[in-house]
Amino acid sequence: MANGNLLRHIGMIAIVAAILAASVYLAMVSVTLAHLEIVSELAPFDMRPLGYSPIEAASLIDGLGIAGRKYYLTRQIPLDMLYPALLALTLSSTIIWFGKHMPNRRIIHFGVALSVGIALFDYIENFGIVAMILSWPDVSGPLVYATSTATIAKSTITTAAVILVLLTGLIWCRLPRADARA
């Protein structure tokens, strides 16, 4: 019964989650991450989808200075602790919404798994960033490589999940009208 209620409202959940996720993303990109880039003159960790080396990480953390490192920890990280869950909810509810009338449910399971994977790697990235900033100036190479790997994984899985959602939406649009409206 509860599952049926949830499915009835999955479209609204997807829309509200998308609005919240987009709002947090816009705040990060236009305010906190932009500020960090201005202060350090380098792209913040979150904006490096191909990762970073220990030298690049050290340059960024050093370039932030004391005030920039504090800003990263007190402004950017709190926002980026909200965003992964909101993005995962947006993507998973959207794929459930679009995929609920498709005969092959594996696409839904795969989409939800990708959505959870995004959040998991984004949280690992966030904890790694916090650890790097707090351990400055003694940031270990393995910590940087682990955090960078999480960044790359997050970026790759996000791309795959968004493509899957778009493809599922395209398929949904092509379903017969009676199925598409239900």
Side-chain angles (χ1 to χ4, degrees):
M1 184 71 160
N3 194 20
N5 268 341
L6 184 64
L7 277 179
R8 252 196 315 267
H9 300 291
I10 200 70
M12 185 57 68
I13 292 167
I15 291 167
V16 170
I19 291 168
L20 292 173
S23 298
V24 171
Y25 183 78
L26 185 61
M28 288 192 303
V29 170
S30 63
V31 179
T32 57
L33 291 170
H35 174 77
L36 292 167
E37 188 164 358
I38 290 167
V39 168
S40 68
E41 298 180 354
L42 296 167
F45 296 113
D46 308 86
M47 303 307 288
R48 297 174 181 232
L50 300 177
Y52 33 86
S53 69
I55 292 170
E56 292 169 319
S59 294
L60 174 59
I61 298 169
D62 187 48
L64 288 169
I66 294 170
R69 290 189 292 272
K70 182 178 180 184
Y71 186 89
Y72 215 128
L73 294 173
T74 61
R75 300 295 193 285
Q76 171 55 27
I77 293 295
L79 281 176
D80 205 10
M81 294 305 276
L82 292 173
Y83 183 69
L86 290 171
L87 180 60
L89 181 60
T90 298
L91 293 172
S92 61
S93 60
T94 301
I95 203 157
I96 290 167
W97 182 24
F98 288 155
K100 70 182 179 179
H101 294 292
M102 293 180 189
N104 186 347
R105 301 278 188 201
R106 279 184 268 165
I107 196 167
I108 294 173
H109 298 246
F110 186 60
V112 171
L114 287 176
S115 301
V116 171
I118 293 166
L120 176 67
F121 283 107
D122 202 345
Y123 287 123
I124 292 169
E125 174 193 50
N126 290 341
F127 289 125
I129 292 167
V130 169
M132 288 189 297
I133 291 171
L134 292 177
S135 65
W136 180 254
D138 299 318
V139 180
S140 74
L143 174 60
V144 174
Y145 286 122
T147 307
S148 179
T149 300
T151 300
I152 295 166
K154 171 195 78 169
S155 301
T156 304
I157 297 169
T158 300
T159 301
V162 169
I163 289 170
L164 184 63
V165 167
L166 292 173
L167 289 173
T168 306
L170 182 64
I171 293 167
W172 179 78
C173 287
R174 298 184 64 143
L175 288 173
R177 286 313 233 177
D179 287 345
R181 290 182 190 171

